[in-house]
Amino acid sequence: DGGITQSPKYLFRKEGQNVTLSCEQNLNHDAMYWYRQDPGQGLRLIYYSQIVNDFQKGDIAEGYSVSREKKESFPLTVTSAQKNPTAFYLCASRMGPQPQHFGDGTRLSIL
Amino acid sequence: KNEVEQSPQNLTAQEGEFITINCSYSVGISALHWLQQHPGGGIVSLFMLSSGKKKHGRLIATINIQEKHSSLHITASHPRDSAVYICAVNAGGTSYGKLTFGQGTILTVHP
């Protein structure tokens, strides 16, 4: 079955460390997205990519970085510059005007 | 004021009740989405609509473009419907599929 795989499901980071969240899709979708979800708030867009080797900042890109070297992969790095990284992170992908498909998310916590 | 507002924020129902969740938005849109987020965090797209009404099983979604309002109805609710329901919109004019999300409605259906 096609879908989006996010790993790991839970991730812990020490202060000052960079961590990378994985997002892989086998849906052959061109566009991919990273969202952050905080309690009581709507999802907010971090970065998005419409094609391989191209990506754009979303609304809250500071402290994050991404790459899109392959169509199926869109990893998100949470850098030490992100001062409040504890959140639930969701990856999504989309083909054309169709609805976005979402992964199951990664919950990041600071030790 | 958020561009997408949902009401109520929390909703408790008894099994079998008819449920309505409302979504109002303040921007021009090309499409509106209703999403379901399960307790584990994964998100599923329920509906994408730009006019009128759609039905899938016990779920019905309606939209009134002139009033900038949408409703999600659940008939004969069941405990398995317990989840967070999220309204999101594609603002008109964006070509990369950016979604603006409401804060979600937490639905709990008791047996």
Side-chain angles (χ1 to χ4, degrees):
Chain A
D1 285 341
I4 297 177
T5 301
Q6 288 189 242
S7 61
K9 193 170 180 64
Y10 298 95
L11 188 57
F12 299 92
R13 191 191 94 169
K14 293 182 180 179
E15 295 279 354
Q17 273 187 339
N18 293 351
V19 289
T20 298
L21 284 60
S22 170
C23 178
E24 303 279 331
Q25 54 101 356
N26 60 3
L27 299 166
N28 199 34
H29 287 177
D30 290 316
M32 297 187 74
Y33 309 82
W34 273 106
Y35 296 97
R36 172 182 170 135
Q37 186 177 39
D38 294 282
Q41 295 189 38
L43 280 75
R44 292 179 290 169
L45 181 64
I46 304 172
Y47 267 97
Y48 66 97
S49 168
Q50 292 184 274
I51 56 172
V52 175
N53 293 323
D54 185 60
F55 49 83
Q56 304 295 329
K57 293 182 179 179
D59 299 320
I60 53 165
E62 185 175 352
Y64 299 98
S65 66
V66 294
S67 63
R68 187 83 187 278
E69 297 177 1
K70 298 185 294 183
K71 187 175 186 178
E72 58 269 25
S73 179
F74 191 40
L76 173 74
T77 297
V78 184
T79 75
S80 56
Q82 170 52 240
K83 297 306 178 189
N84 186 23
T86 296
F88 188 62
Y89 291 87
L90 280 156
C91 179
S93 69
R94 188 181 81 131
M95 175 63 81
Q98 298 304 311
Q100 293 183 18
H101 289 244
F102 288 85
D104 288 335
T106 293
R107 193 166 300 279
L108 175 63
S109 301
I110 301 303
L111 293 177
Chain B
K1 191 179 189 298
N2 294 334
E3 291 179 330
V4 181
E5 293 277 356
Q6 289 183 235
S7 64
Q9 290 190 0
N10 287 278
L11 183 56
T12 301
Q14 289 298 126
E15 184 173 355
E17 287 185 359
F18 181 86
I19 288 164
T20 296
I21 299 171
N22 296 299
C23 176
S24 296
Y25 53 92
S26 57
V27 295
I29 68 168
S30 57
L32 182 141
H33 303 256
W34 281 103
L35 310 168
Q36 181 189 53
Q37 185 170 30
H38 292 287
I43 290 178
V44 173
S45 177
L46 298 175
F47 294 104
M48 181 176 76
L49 63 166
S50 55
S51 65
K53 174 180 173 179
K54 287 190 176 181
K55 184 176 189 291
H56 186 258
R58 294 180 295 106
L59 301 177
I60 303 167
T62 64
I63 187 169
N64 185 318
I65 297 295
Q66 287 74 30
E67 295 185 3
K68 291 188 166 61
H69 181 269
S70 175
S71 293
L72 177 69
H73 306 287
I74 304 176
T75 62
S77 60
H78 190 276
R80 65 174 174 267
D81 296 325
S82 298
V84 178
Y85 292 84
I86 300 171
C87 174
V89 301
N90 290 109
T94 57
S95 62
Y96 55 89
K98 177 186 174 181
L99 290 174
T100 302
F101 295 83
Q103 78 276 32
T105 295
I106 302 171
L107 171 65
T108 305
V109 182
H110 293 293

